[in-house]
Amino acid sequence: MRDTVNLSGTIFLSKLIAQYAHLHSRTVGSKAEEYIRQLGIKTGEWLESFYSEKGQEWTPDQYARVIVDLKNSIGGHFEISEVHEDRVIVKATACPFGEAVHDAPHLCMMTSSVFGGVASRRMGYGKVNLRKRIALGDGGCEVAIYFKPTEEEDGIVYEDIPITPEQGDPFNWEEEAITALNNELRKSDEMVMELLKELERLREEVEEMKGNVSTSTS
């Protein structure tokens, strides 16, 4: 019997999510990252509620400890690398999605949007640069989160992120957001259907050409 890792609910769920994300990316294309980004923003607000009341500002040290703890709580191996007044840098040797993240690198947007959303709500501003990514073959992840605008780094900016009212549920999506995402998905579906039609047309042309060749050589 070949050596295997012990199957667990976490491993199975990570693989399932990664495969779903991979399929989603194949059908939706670049828009898949926007879905993940929106989900990460909502998820981050829910996760941070386990650490303190809504609206409380955090110090850079508190922020760093929270984002590392929440990642490690769901199966990652993250640690604080640097803490400054204007930025925090964290590193990871393992992703919460495990090896399955190689199947869907755009899941890294979940890390970006969770970290960035939390920074926006708790620090007033967040800019996230995924400097290194296990999903892309790097030996580990390195993420820099800035609390003030900077032109020195690439990254995605998160600011003016809405905060769900008290007693509200961050996963109660606004109708406008749902409509916008559904419209993008519909456009993607239409593109897929057009592609299938084009492939069918090309197949028919190839069959016709093969028929003509057979006729001319007989």
Side-chain angles (χ1 to χ4, degrees), residues 19-206:
Q19 289 304 308
Y20 173 78
H22 175 64
L23 179 61
H24 189 211
S25 178
R26 291 287 299 273
T27 56
V28 178
S30 61
K31 297 298 181 182
E33 279 201 352
E34 179 59 22
Y35 282 80
I36 298 297
R37 191 179 77 87
Q38 292 293 335
L39 181 58
I41 289 172
K42 298 286 186 178
T43 303
E45 184 176 8
W46 175 69
L47 290 170
E48 72 187 57
S49 69
F50 286 84
Y51 297 90
S52 72
E53 297 295 327
K54 292 181 180 180
Q56 292 184 357
E57 293 185 0
W58 292 346
T59 65
D61 183 64
Q62 287 175 313
Y63 170 84
R65 286 188 285 109
V66 167
I67 63 171
V68 164
D69 185 69
L70 68 84
K71 278 292 188 178
N72 291 341
S73 296
I74 58 175
H77 291 161
F78 278 68
E79 62 182 21
I80 299 171
S81 176
E82 299 178 28
V83 176
H84 306 275
E85 284 299 314
D86 65 334
R87 69 189 184 279
V88 160
I89 299 173
V90 298
K91 296 182 178 181
T93 56
C95 174
F97 294 107
E99 293 299 314
V101 76
H102 293 291
D103 297 331
H106 66 290
L107 280 174
C108 296
M109 180 58 70
M110 179 67 77
T111 294
S112 173
S113 54
V114 168
F115 287 4
V118 173
S120 174
R121 286 183 293 267
R122 300 292 182 161
M123 312 297 290
Y125 175 92
K127 180 178 180 180
V128 182
N129 183 13
L130 304 177
R131 292 175 171 175
K132 296 180 181 179
R133 299 163 60 186
I134 293 173
L136 297 183
D138 293 324
C141 293
E142 181 175 312
V143 185
I145 308 98
Y146 287 81
F147 306 134
K148 296 179 181 179
T150 174
E151 297 180 356
E152 298 177 3
E153 290 262 358
D154 295 328
I156 298 176
V157 172
Y158 298 85
E159 58 182 336
D160 300 323
I161 302 295
I163 298 177
T164 303
E166 289 295 334
Q167 310 306 319
D169 182 353
F171 293 107
N172 283 336
W173 292 66
E174 297 84 358
E175 189 63 31
E176 294 80 4
I178 295 174
T179 300
L181 292 176
N182 281 340
N183 284 339
E184 293 298 339
L185 181 58
R186 177 181 54 78
K187 292 177 184 177
S188 298
D189 287 343
E190 291 173 354
M191 291 173 60
V192 170
M193 293 305 298
E194 288 298 322
L195 176 60
L196 290 175
K197 290 179 182 178
E198 180 66 15
L199 290 174
E200 179 62 21
R201 186 185 65 78
L202 291 173
R203 187 189 68 79
E204 292 175 354
E205 288 185 2
V206 170

Side-chain angles (χ1 to χ4, degrees), residues 1-13:
M1 180 180 293
R2 63 187 179 85
D3 293 334
T4 60
V5 297
N6 292 325
L7 181 62
S8 67
T10 300
I11 292 175
F12 174 75
L13 186 58

